[in-house]
Amino acid sequence: MFSIFSVLGVAHEYRDTTGVELHSSAKFSKQWENFKNNNRFINGMFDLKRQYDESDSVGVRAVRFVTDGVSNVVGSMLTPNETSQTLEAIVKVDKDFEPEAFLKELKLEIIPTILEGFLRSDMDLLREWCHDRSYGVLSALLTQQQQLGLTNLSKVLELSDVDLVMGKMMEPGPVLIISFSAQQLTKIVNKKGEVVEGGEESIQNNRYVWALCRDQTIFDARSAWRILEFGILGKEEMV
């Protein structure tokens, strides 16, 4: 499957093949990778290579487990003030920042924009919203989709349960990890118009996790955020 709902689990397969240079974002990428590698639970949430290896469709299906109580588990592994310190750092450069308002903006505007942008193969939009590492993943996947002659007719039906999992301060700036559920219709067709994945009645509810990084040198609140990495927590077939 080459929909946004499942292909985001192959970053480790594509990260080094896109030709995208990191430039000034290299610090964010390196520190994030070090943080993941030293935190077993966080690494598990973003263990995209394992999700790829466990898939069985033409693209990549969501992993076959569901993680409950994500915020509680992560919170128990970090210092009590880590998330609050991260939020305070954001407020220093964006005095109007409010966590609840930001989560609402994610649900109503940012997440739908990015998901629909991927479905439309809008590379300019993805370039605007994604960090180099995540943009490299998406651009490689869209290129492969085109080479295979596949068309993505999937639709996002509903978003819900957008939650702040945790915050983490890094040298380049703050990182917020969020999770959300997306109910979607999955439909992929080939050049002949034949359905090769999903269909009109193929509806799933998937749980995702995103890591968002903020460039503290950018004072415009909306343009300062980038998606650093994607992960899939689980899926549920809708009856």
Side-chain angles (χ1 to χ4, degrees):
M1 182 193 304
F2 285 87
S3 67
I4 186 70
F5 321 119
S6 56
V7 295
L8 298 181
V10 297
H12 290 264
E13 296 296 313
Y14 291 99
R15 185 175 301 147
D16 295 326
T17 65
T18 61
V20 177
E21 296 182 15
L22 294 178
H23 300 298
S24 61
S25 65
K27 273 189 177 181
F28 245 132
S29 185
K30 182 177 180 180
Q31 290 192 17
W32 168 250
E33 200 68 32
N34 289 338
F35 171 62
K36 280 199 311 173
N37 292 339
N38 288 285
N39 188 309
R40 180 175 57 83
F41 188 81
I42 298 297
N43 194 50
M45 286 198 297
F46 291 95
D47 187 1
L48 304 181
K49 185 178 187 301
R50 176 184 57 74
Q51 296 173 23
Y52 175 84
D53 292 339
E54 292 181 357
S55 66
D56 60 4
S57 67
V58 295
V60 181
R61 291 192 187 277
V63 293
R64 293 150 184 80
F65 66 91
V66 177
T67 303
D68 295 319
V70 175
S71 298
N72 292 334
V73 176
V74 175
S76 67
M77 303 178 72
L78 300 171
T79 59
N81 296 324
E82 192 149 14
T83 296
S84 62
Q85 290 172 354
T86 303
L87 297 176
E88 288 173 4
I90 297 171
V91 173
K92 287 182 179 179
V93 295
D94 179 7
K95 62 181 179 63
D96 295 323
F97 178 83
E98 291 284 347
E100 290 302 320
F102 182 60
L103 291 175
K104 183 176 181 179
E105 183 180 15
L106 283 168
K107 179 181 179 179
L108 298 179
E109 299 182 35
I110 297 176
I111 295 174
T113 295
I114 295 168
L115 296 183
E116 295 296 341
F118 183 88
L119 296 178
R120 297 195 310 269
S121 299
D122 189 337
M123 298 309 300
D124 289 336
L125 184 146
L126 294 176
R127 174 73 277 181
E128 178 183 350
W129 280 104
C130 293
H131 185 276
D132 287 338
R133 61 186 290 139
S134 56
Y135 176 79
V137 174
L138 298 183
S139 61
L141 289 165
L142 289 173
T143 297
Q144 188 180 31
Q145 175 181 290
Q146 183 179 22
Q147 291 172 343
L148 292 174
L150 300 177
T151 300
N152 196 335
L153 301 179
S154 302
K155 299 178 182 178
V156 179
L157 303 179
E158 183 180 2
L159 293 174
S160 61
D161 302 322
V162 181
D163 298 317
L164 174 61
V165 177
M166 62 161 284
K168 176 68 177 179
M169 277 305 301
M170 297 185 179
E171 183 182 342
V175 172
L176 296 181
I177 297 179
I178 65 159
S179 62
F180 63 93
S181 295
Q183 185 180 115
Q184 66 258 352
L185 182 150
T186 301
K187 184 178 180 180
I188 312 295
V189 300
N190 59 21
K191 291 180 179 180
K192 298 179 181 180
E194 300 168 333
V195 177
V196 296
E197 188 77 33
E200 293 299 331
E201 297 183 358
S202 179
I203 299 177
Q204 297 175 344
N205 190 61
N206 286 3
R207 187 71 180 170
Y208 299 97
V209 59
W210 287 6
L212 306 172
C213 57
R214 192 190 195 286
D215 187 337
Q216 295 291 73
T217 65
I218 299 177
F219 294 100
D220 178 72
R222 190 174 178 85
S223 60
W225 290 99
R226 297 288 185 276
I227 299 178
L228 185 60
E229 192 156 351
F230 307 88
I232 306 172
L233 295 178
K235 75 171 184 178
E236 178 185 5
E237 299 287 344
M238 306 298 291
V239 179

PDB file of all heavy atoms in Angstrom, residues 8 12 15 39 42 44 63 66 75 82 99 117 119 130 144 148 168 174 181 184 202 209 211 218 224 229-231:
ATOM      1  N   LEU A   8       4.617   5.394   5.681  1.00  0.00           N
ATOM      2  CA  LEU A   8       5.506   6.144   6.552  1.00  0.00           C
ATOM      3  C   LEU A   8       6.338   5.225   7.428  1.00  0.00           C
ATOM      4  O   LEU A   8       7.178   5.684   8.176  1.00  0.00           O
ATOM      5  CB  LEU A   8       4.688   7.107   7.429  1.00  0.00           C
ATOM      6  CG  LEU A   8       3.909   8.149   6.635  1.00  0.00           C
ATOM      7  CD1 LEU A   8       3.153   9.059   7.580  1.00  0.00           C
ATOM      8  CD2 LEU A   8       4.812   8.938   5.733  1.00  0.00           C
ATOM      9  N   HIS A  12      13.735   3.965   7.277  1.00  0.00           N
ATOM     10  CA  HIS A  12      15.088   3.430   7.316  1.00  0.00           C
ATOM     11  C   HIS A  12      15.485   2.811   5.983  1.00  0.00           C
ATOM     12  O   HIS A  12      16.665   2.695   5.683  1.00  0.00           O
ATOM     13  CB  HIS A  12      15.188   2.381   8.432  1.00  0.00           C
ATOM     14  CG  HIS A  12      15.106   2.991   9.794  1.00  0.00           C
ATOM     15  ND1 HIS A  12      16.221   3.309  10.525  1.00  0.00           N
ATOM     16  CD2 HIS A  12      14.039   3.365  10.543  1.00  0.00           C
ATOM     17  CE1 HIS A  12      15.849   3.828  11.695  1.00  0.00           C
ATOM     18  NE2 HIS A  12      14.532   3.874  11.719  1.00  0.00           N
ATOM     19  N   ARG A  15      16.062   6.442   3.711  1.00  0.00           N
ATOM     20  CA  ARG A  15      16.681   7.670   4.192  1.00  0.00           C
ATOM     21  C   ARG A  15      17.968   8.009   3.471  1.00  0.00           C
ATOM     22  O   ARG A  15      18.281   9.147   3.213  1.00  0.00           O
ATOM     23  CB  ARG A  15      16.948   7.563   5.701  1.00  0.00           C
ATOM     24  CG  ARG A  15      17.477   8.835   6.316  1.00  0.00           C
ATOM     25  CD  ARG A  15      17.587   8.672   7.813  1.00  0.00           C
ATOM     26  NE  ARG A  15      16.287   8.369   8.366  1.00  0.00           N
ATOM     27  CZ  ARG A  15      16.113   7.588   9.423  1.00  0.00           C
ATOM     28  NH1 ARG A  15      17.139   7.047  10.026  1.00  0.00           N
ATOM     29  NH2 ARG A  15      14.896   7.369   9.883  1.00  0.00           N
ATOM     30  N   ASN A  39      16.582   5.624  24.192  1.00  0.00           N
ATOM     31  CA  ASN A  39      15.292   5.531  24.868  1.00  0.00           C
ATOM     32  C   ASN A  39      14.519   4.388  24.218  1.00  0.00           C
ATOM     33  O   ASN A  39      13.992   4.531  23.118  1.00  0.00           O
ATOM     34  CB  ASN A  39      14.535   6.857  24.744  1.00  0.00           C
ATOM     35  CG  ASN A  39      13.279   6.891  25.590  1.00  0.00           C
ATOM     36  OD1 ASN A  39      12.453   5.980  25.529  1.00  0.00           O
ATOM     37  ND2 ASN A  39      13.120   7.946  26.376  1.00  0.00           N
ATOM     38  N   ILE A  42      10.753   5.124  23.116  1.00  0.00           N
ATOM     39  CA  ILE A  42      10.663   6.045  21.982  1.00  0.00           C
ATOM     40  C   ILE A  42      11.157   5.369  20.708  1.00  0.00           C
ATOM     41  O   ILE A  42      10.553   5.494  19.639  1.00  0.00           O
ATOM     42  CB  ILE A  42      11.488   7.322  22.248  1.00  0.00           C
ATOM     43  CG1 ILE A  42      10.930   8.062  23.472  1.00  0.00           C
ATOM     44  CG2 ILE A  42      11.489   8.241  21.028  1.00  0.00           C
ATOM     45  CD1 ILE A  42       9.506   8.549  23.301  1.00  0.00           C
ATOM     46  N   GLY A  44      11.008   2.282  20.048  1.00  0.00           N
ATOM     47  CA  GLY A  44       9.990   1.338  19.624  1.00  0.00           C
ATOM     48  C   GLY A  44       8.866   1.999  18.851  1.00  0.00           C
ATOM     49  O   GLY A  44       8.352   1.451  17.872  1.00  0.00           O
ATOM     50  N   VAL A  63       1.632  -1.695  11.564  1.00  0.00           N
ATOM     51  CA  VAL A  63       2.080  -2.780  12.432  1.00  0.00           C
ATOM     52  C   VAL A  63       0.908  -3.386  13.173  1.00  0.00           C
ATOM     53  O   VAL A  63      -0.131  -2.761  13.344  1.00  0.00           O
ATOM     54  CB  VAL A  63       3.119  -2.276  13.446  1.00  0.00           C
ATOM     55  CG1 VAL A  63       4.375  -1.877  12.735  1.00  0.00           C
ATOM     56  CG2 VAL A  63       2.566  -1.119  14.254  1.00  0.00           C
ATOM     57  N   VAL A  66      -1.140  -2.514  19.152  1.00  0.00           N
ATOM     58  CA  VAL A  66      -1.676  -1.220  19.569  1.00  0.00           C
ATOM     59  C   VAL A  66      -1.066  -0.862  20.906  1.00  0.00           C
ATOM     60  O   VAL A  66      -1.050  -1.665  21.834  1.00  0.00           O
ATOM     61  CB  VAL A  66      -3.211  -1.257  19.691  1.00  0.00           C
ATOM     62  CG1 VAL A  66      -3.739   0.080  20.185  1.00  0.00           C
ATOM     63  CG2 VAL A  66      -3.838  -1.632  18.362  1.00  0.00           C
ATOM     64  N   GLY A  75       5.976   9.297  30.046  1.00  0.00           N
ATOM     65  CA  GLY A  75       6.185  10.212  31.160  1.00  0.00           C
ATOM     66  C   GLY A  75       6.946   9.586  32.299  1.00  0.00           C
ATOM     67  O   GLY A  75       7.724  10.253  32.990  1.00  0.00           O
ATOM     68  N   GLU A  82      10.452  17.705  32.192  1.00  0.00           N
ATOM     69  CA  GLU A  82      11.024  17.801  30.847  1.00  0.00           C
ATOM     70  C   GLU A  82      10.048  18.389  29.835  1.00  0.00           C
ATOM     71  O   GLU A  82      10.404  19.267  29.042  1.00  0.00           O
ATOM     72  CB  GLU A  82      11.501  16.425  30.374  1.00  0.00           C
ATOM     73  CG  GLU A  82      12.366  16.505  29.125  1.00  0.00           C
ATOM     74  CD  GLU A  82      13.394  15.397  29.071  1.00  0.00           C
ATOM     75  OE1 GLU A  82      13.284  14.429  29.837  1.00  0.00           O
ATOM     76  OE2 GLU A  82      14.309  15.511  28.253  1.00  0.00           O
ATOM     77  N   PRO A  99      -0.567  25.015  24.451  1.00  0.00           N
ATOM     78  CA  PRO A  99      -0.592  23.609  24.025  1.00  0.00           C
ATOM     79  C   PRO A  99      -1.935  23.156  23.471  1.00  0.00           C
ATOM     80  O   PRO A  99      -1.996  22.505  22.421  1.00  0.00           O
ATOM     81  CB  PRO A  99      -0.235  22.852  25.309  1.00  0.00           C
ATOM     82  CG  PRO A  99       0.594  23.813  26.089  1.00  0.00           C
ATOM     83  CD  PRO A  99      -0.004  25.161  25.808  1.00  0.00           C
ATOM     84  N   GLY A 117      -1.795  16.502   1.281  1.00  0.00           N
ATOM     85  CA  GLY A 117      -0.683  16.854   0.411  1.00  0.00           C
ATOM     86  C   GLY A 117       0.036  15.631  -0.100  1.00  0.00           C
ATOM     87  O   GLY A 117       0.445  15.560  -1.270  1.00  0.00           O
ATOM     88  N   LEU A 119      -1.333  12.602  -0.430  1.00  0.00           N
ATOM     89  CA  LEU A 119      -2.237  11.913  -1.344  1.00  0.00           C
ATOM     90  C   LEU A 119      -2.266  12.584  -2.714  1.00  0.00           C
ATOM     91  O   LEU A 119      -2.448  11.917  -3.731  1.00  0.00           O
ATOM     92  CB  LEU A 119      -3.650  11.861  -0.746  1.00  0.00           C
ATOM     93  CG  LEU A 119      -3.801  11.055   0.551  1.00  0.00           C
ATOM     94  CD1 LEU A 119      -5.237  11.137   1.060  1.00  0.00           C
ATOM     95  CD2 LEU A 119      -3.389   9.609   0.357  1.00  0.00           C
ATOM     96  N   CYS A 130       7.949  19.555   6.056  1.00  0.00           N
ATOM     97  CA  CYS A 130       8.751  18.440   6.539  1.00  0.00           C
ATOM     98  C   CYS A 130      10.221  18.797   6.727  1.00  0.00           C
ATOM     99  O   CYS A 130      10.803  19.549   5.937  1.00  0.00           O
ATOM    100  CB  CYS A 130       8.656  17.256   5.571  1.00  0.00           C
ATOM    101  SG  CYS A 130       7.019  16.507   5.513  1.00  0.00           S
ATOM    102  N   GLN A 144       8.598   6.146  -6.142  1.00  0.00           N
ATOM    103  CA  GLN A 144       8.398   4.721  -6.380  1.00  0.00           C
ATOM    104  C   GLN A 144       6.957   4.428  -6.785  1.00  0.00           C
ATOM    105  O   GLN A 144       6.702   3.608  -7.667  1.00  0.00           O
ATOM    106  CB  GLN A 144       8.757   3.922  -5.136  1.00  0.00           C
ATOM    107  CG  GLN A 144       8.742   2.407  -5.391  1.00  0.00           C
ATOM    108  CD  GLN A 144       9.102   1.617  -4.173  1.00  0.00           C
ATOM    109  OE1 GLN A 144       8.828   2.048  -3.050  1.00  0.00           O
ATOM    110  NE2 GLN A 144       9.709   0.457  -4.367  1.00  0.00           N
ATOM    111  N   LEU A 148       5.828   2.626 -10.382  1.00  0.00           N
ATOM    112  CA  LEU A 148       5.027   1.404 -10.433  1.00  0.00           C
ATOM    113  C   LEU A 148       3.662   1.636 -11.090  1.00  0.00           C
ATOM    114  O   LEU A 148       2.882   0.697 -11.241  1.00  0.00           O
ATOM    115  CB  LEU A 148       4.819   0.868  -9.013  1.00  0.00           C
ATOM    116  CG  LEU A 148       6.072   0.335  -8.313  1.00  0.00           C
ATOM    117  CD1 LEU A 148       5.758  -0.033  -6.865  1.00  0.00           C
ATOM    118  CD2 LEU A 148       6.635  -0.870  -9.057  1.00  0.00           C
ATOM    119  N   LYS A 168      10.668  17.351  24.370  1.00  0.00           N
ATOM    120  CA  LYS A 168      12.093  17.100  24.600  1.00  0.00           C
ATOM    121  C   LYS A 168      12.888  18.276  24.056  1.00  0.00           C
ATOM    122  O   LYS A 168      12.739  18.658  22.903  1.00  0.00           O
ATOM    123  CB  LYS A 168      12.520  15.807  23.893  1.00  0.00           C
ATOM    124  CG  LYS A 168      14.003  15.496  23.975  1.00  0.00           C
ATOM    125  CD  LYS A 168      14.430  15.145  25.388  1.00  0.00           C
ATOM    126  CE  LYS A 168      15.900  14.760  25.442  1.00  0.00           C
ATOM    127  NZ  LYS A 168      16.344  14.442  26.822  1.00  0.00           N
ATOM    128  N   PRO A 174      13.176  22.848  20.495  1.00  0.00           N
ATOM    129  CA  PRO A 174      12.272  21.888  21.129  1.00  0.00           C
ATOM    130  C   PRO A 174      11.687  20.878  20.144  1.00  0.00           C
ATOM    131  O   PRO A 174      11.509  21.174  18.960  1.00  0.00           O
ATOM    132  CB  PRO A 174      11.171  22.774  21.707  1.00  0.00           C
ATOM    133  CG  PRO A 174      11.166  23.970  20.810  1.00  0.00           C
ATOM    134  CD  PRO A 174      12.580  24.187  20.372  1.00  0.00           C
ATOM    135  N   SER A 181      -5.344   9.670  15.941  1.00  0.00           N
ATOM    136  CA  SER A 181      -6.020   8.604  15.208  1.00  0.00           C
ATOM    137  C   SER A 181      -6.577   9.165  13.906  1.00  0.00           C
ATOM    138  O   SER A 181      -7.067  10.297  13.874  1.00  0.00           O
ATOM    139  CB  SER A 181      -7.158   8.007  16.040  1.00  0.00           C
ATOM    140  OG  SER A 181      -6.664   7.356  17.188  1.00  0.00           O
ATOM    141  N   GLN A 184      -9.648   6.224   7.839  1.00  0.00           N
ATOM    142  CA  GLN A 184      -9.427   6.458   6.427  1.00  0.00           C
ATOM    143  C   GLN A 184      -9.951   5.333   5.555  1.00  0.00           C
ATOM    144  O   GLN A 184     -10.059   4.189   5.996  1.00  0.00           O
ATOM    145  CB  GLN A 184      -7.935   6.643   6.143  1.00  0.00           C
ATOM    146  CG  GLN A 184      -7.085   5.419   6.368  1.00  0.00           C
ATOM    147  CD  GLN A 184      -6.316   5.453   7.669  1.00  0.00           C
ATOM    148  OE1 GLN A 184      -6.279   6.475   8.378  1.00  0.00           O
ATOM    149  NE2 GLN A 184      -5.713   4.345   7.990  1.00  0.00           N
ATOM    150  N   SER A 202     -12.966  -0.474   2.352  1.00  0.00           N
ATOM    151  CA  SER A 202     -11.769  -0.744   3.164  1.00  0.00           C
ATOM    152  C   SER A 202     -11.495   0.450   4.076  1.00  0.00           C
ATOM    153  O   SER A 202     -10.803   1.399   3.702  1.00  0.00           O
ATOM    154  CB  SER A 202     -10.564  -1.009   2.265  1.00  0.00           C
ATOM    155  OG  SER A 202      -9.402  -1.241   3.033  1.00  0.00           O
ATOM    156  N   VAL A 209       2.073   8.403  15.395  1.00  0.00           N
ATOM    157  CA  VAL A 209       2.894   9.249  16.253  1.00  0.00           C
ATOM    158  C   VAL A 209       3.815  10.065  15.359  1.00  0.00           C
ATOM    159  O   VAL A 209       4.414   9.533  14.427  1.00  0.00           O
ATOM    160  CB  VAL A 209       3.690   8.405  17.287  1.00  0.00           C
ATOM    161  CG1 VAL A 209       4.598   7.390  16.622  1.00  0.00           C
ATOM    162  CG2 VAL A 209       4.481   9.301  18.225  1.00  0.00           C
ATOM    163  N   ALA A 211       6.878  13.219  15.414  1.00  0.00           N
ATOM    164  CA  ALA A 211       7.802  14.084  16.142  1.00  0.00           C
ATOM    165  C   ALA A 211       7.911  15.396  15.375  1.00  0.00           C
ATOM    166  O   ALA A 211       8.258  15.407  14.191  1.00  0.00           O
ATOM    167  CB  ALA A 211       9.174  13.432  16.274  1.00  0.00           C
ATOM    168  N   ILE A 218      13.103  31.029  13.849  1.00  0.00           N
ATOM    169  CA  ILE A 218      11.961  31.504  13.073  1.00  0.00           C
ATOM    170  C   ILE A 218      10.873  31.958  14.039  1.00  0.00           C
ATOM    171  O   ILE A 218      10.405  31.175  14.865  1.00  0.00           O
ATOM    172  CB  ILE A 218      11.420  30.392  12.145  1.00  0.00           C
ATOM    173  CG1 ILE A 218      12.500  29.965  11.148  1.00  0.00           C
ATOM    174  CG2 ILE A 218      10.173  30.877  11.409  1.00  0.00           C
ATOM    175  CD1 ILE A 218      12.076  28.832  10.236  1.00  0.00           C
ATOM    176  N   ALA A 224       7.483  27.835  11.661  1.00  0.00           N
ATOM    177  CA  ALA A 224       8.640  27.380  12.438  1.00  0.00           C
ATOM    178  C   ALA A 224       8.638  25.867  12.670  1.00  0.00           C
ATOM    179  O   ALA A 224       9.679  25.281  12.970  1.00  0.00           O
ATOM    180  CB  ALA A 224       8.682  28.094  13.786  1.00  0.00           C
ATOM    181  N   GLU A 229       9.856  13.191  12.209  1.00  0.00           N
ATOM    182  CA  GLU A 229       9.745  11.754  11.937  1.00  0.00           C
ATOM    183  C   GLU A 229       8.318  11.266  12.165  1.00  0.00           C
ATOM    184  O   GLU A 229       7.544  11.872  12.904  1.00  0.00           O
ATOM    185  CB  GLU A 229      10.719  10.960  12.806  1.00  0.00           C
ATOM    186  CG  GLU A 229      10.864   9.504  12.385  1.00  0.00           C
ATOM    187  CD  GLU A 229      12.172   8.883  12.825  1.00  0.00           C
ATOM    188  OE1 GLU A 229      13.052   9.607  13.310  1.00  0.00           O
ATOM    189  OE2 GLU A 229      12.304   7.664  12.675  1.00  0.00           O
ATOM    190  N   PHE A 230       7.995  10.149  11.498  1.00  0.00           N
ATOM    191  CA  PHE A 230       6.679   9.531  11.586  1.00  0.00           C
ATOM    192  C   PHE A 230       6.783   8.144  12.210  1.00  0.00           C
ATOM    193  O   PHE A 230       7.798   7.475  12.084  1.00  0.00           O
ATOM    194  CB  PHE A 230       6.079   9.335  10.189  1.00  0.00           C
ATOM    195  CG  PHE A 230       6.026  10.556   9.333  1.00  0.00           C
ATOM    196  CD1 PHE A 230       7.095  10.912   8.523  1.00  0.00           C
ATOM    197  CD2 PHE A 230       4.889  11.332   9.310  1.00  0.00           C
ATOM    198  CE1 PHE A 230       7.039  12.023   7.712  1.00  0.00           C
ATOM    199  CE2 PHE A 230       4.819  12.451   8.494  1.00  0.00           C
ATOM    200  CZ  PHE A 230       5.897  12.800   7.699  1.00  0.00           C
ATOM    201  N   GLY A 231       5.721   7.698  12.833  1.00  0.00           N
ATOM    202  CA  GLY A 231       5.653   6.327  13.318  1.00  0.00           C
ATOM    203  C   GLY A 231       4.206   5.875  13.349  1.00  0.00           C
ATOM    204  O   GLY A 231       3.272   6.684  13.297  1.00  0.00           O
TER     205      GLY A 231
END
